[in-house]
């Protein structure tokens, strides 16, 4: 069991697009185990490899009675339904802000043995899949907040005890998740 330190907001690895996994080898299985152990130690709903400083497209999840991992995931919305609810991030500890997400999604990817897998999620699991896949693109949930909430969030983060003052540029919605509104 290996619990790794979690990279915090301000660390450039969280703003880097992670690489596709090419080798489904022992290192990948170790990474999945580390992600799992670290996520569970924090009681997190999910965690993505960049949060451990590893720029690879892998995440683990454990929420709504569902648990597992995905390698090279992509997701699609099943319908047009959105959900609004509080969202947090292990890399931005101590905060939650209301974040709009799609409500019903299906994610496709691979497991650590290179076998294709599909995960269908609603509500919290759907939110988790979107949040973790965002991490793999260097996107944080702060980028998904409306402008006013984002400003308030940045003010609060700057005052957080863990924050080291290195404020990176907030990206403006690189993915038109909601069809442009
Ligand atoms: Zn996160």
């Amino acid at each position: 069991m290996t619990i790794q330190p979690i990279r915090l907001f301000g660390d450039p690895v969280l703003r880097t697009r992670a690489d596709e996994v090419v080798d489904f080898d022992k290192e990948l299985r170790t990474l999945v185990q580390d992600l799992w152990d670290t996520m569970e130690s924090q009681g997190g709903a999910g965690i993505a490899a960049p949060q451990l400083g590893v720029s690879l497209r892998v995440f683990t999840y454990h929420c709504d009675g569902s648990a597992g991992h995905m390698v090279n995931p992509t997701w699609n919305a099943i319908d047009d339904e959105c959900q609004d609810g509080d969202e947090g991030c292990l890399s931005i500890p101590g905060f939650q802000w209301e974040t709009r997400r799609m409500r019903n999604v299906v994610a496709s990817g691979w497991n650590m043995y290179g076998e294709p897998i599909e995960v269908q999620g609603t509500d919290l699991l759907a939110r988790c899949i979107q949040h973790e896949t965002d991490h793999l693109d260097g996107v944080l949930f702060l980028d998904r907040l409306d402008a006013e909430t984002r400003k308030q969030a940045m003010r609060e983060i700057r005052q957080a005890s863990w924050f080291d003052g290195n404020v990176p540029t907030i990206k403006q919605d690189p993915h038109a998740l909601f069809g442009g509104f």
Side-chain angles (χ1 to χ4, degrees), residues 51 88-91 131-132 135 140-141:
Q51 293 178 276
C89 179
L90 293 172
S91 294
H131 181 112
E132 302 313 333
H135 270 304
L140 297 171
F141 83 106

Side-chain angles (χ1 to χ4, degrees), residues 40-60:
E40 291 290 273
S41 76
Q42 300 295 315
I47 194 169
Q51 293 178 276
L52 300 189
V54 179
S55 202
L56 285 173
R57 304 184 77 78
V58 184
F59 70 75
T60 58

Side-chain angles (χ1 to χ4, degrees), residues 17-45:
R17 188 185 185 279
D19 295 325
E20 304 279 332
V21 170
V22 178
D23 298 319
F24 290 76
D25 55 9
K26 188 165 176 291
E27 275 95 307
L28 177 64
R29 295 193 289 279
T30 302
L31 171 62
V32 169
Q33 188 65 50
D34 288 355
L35 285 165
W36 178 264
D37 293 342
T38 307
M39 175 185 74
E40 291 290 273
S41 76
Q42 300 295 315

